[in-house]
Amino acid sequence: MAGLAGKIQFVHMDSLSFMKTSAKKFDLIFLDGSHRSVDVYKEILLALDLLNNNGMILLHDFYPGNKQLWSDNVVISGPIAASQRLGRECKDLDFLPFGKLPWPTKLNSNVTSLAIVVKKNGIAR
């Protein structure tokens, strides 16, 4: 696995339950569970406490401007709504959508709904 065996942990359980009880710190946390804004909001807040300095949160289904990314007319609004709320409440967070990737993605495009949440200066809140 690209030399990362022992450095990656996949957790298959309710994210909120896991993050409330975990004492471990992470460099990268990938959130792709519930897409309800209230759940994503809670997940990001909990994940921030589990990040190492300069750690990142990777979000899936992040639709900047709450606009469709592909021609399928799908927009999932929870992650962007949660990020907008957190952006107002936590001025030391950045939400950085990937936009386009250098390889093909969904519907013969190179657009992605991935975004990174980073703590400015390695510290949030």
Side-chain angles (χ1 to χ4, degrees):
M1 182 188 260
L4 297 175
K7 295 182 180 185
I8 295 175
Q9 177 184 6
F10 289 96
V11 178
H12 298 278
M13 67 182 284
D14 176 76
S15 60
L16 296 174
S17 298
F18 172 79
M19 290 189 284
K20 285 178 184 175
T21 59
S22 178
K24 189 172 180 178
K25 296 286 186 174
F26 299 91
D27 294 316
L28 175 68
I29 298 172
F30 177 49
L31 297 177
D32 184 26
S34 168
H35 291 82
R36 293 180 35 207
S37 63
V38 67
D39 293 336
V40 177
Y41 174 85
K42 291 175 186 176
E43 285 176 334
I44 292 171
L45 286 177
L46 289 168
L48 287 169
D49 290 335
L50 298 178
L51 286 180
N52 287 318
N53 281 344
N54 298 315
M56 296 180 284
I57 300 167
L58 180 60
L59 295 177
H60 188 244
D61 295 319
F62 188 88
Y63 288 73
N66 216 23
K67 296 179 181 174
Q68 74 181 51
L69 297 173
W70 297 279
S71 60
D72 60 2
N73 295 319
V74 172
V75 175
I76 299 171
S77 61
I80 190 70
S83 71
Q84 290 167 338
R85 178 178 173 191
L86 283 162
R88 289 188 302 271
E89 295 175 2
C90 304
K91 300 295 184 197
D92 44 5
L93 290 180
D94 275 333
F95 295 84
L96 309 170
F98 282 29
K100 294 183 178 180
L101 298 174
W103 54 81
T105 61
K106 184 176 174 179
L107 298 177
N108 297 315
S109 73
N110 64 338
V111 175
T112 182
S113 64
L114 294 172
I116 290 283
V117 182
V118 293
K119 300 185 282 185
K120 296 177 186 176
N121 303 317
I123 301 168
R125 292 195 271 169

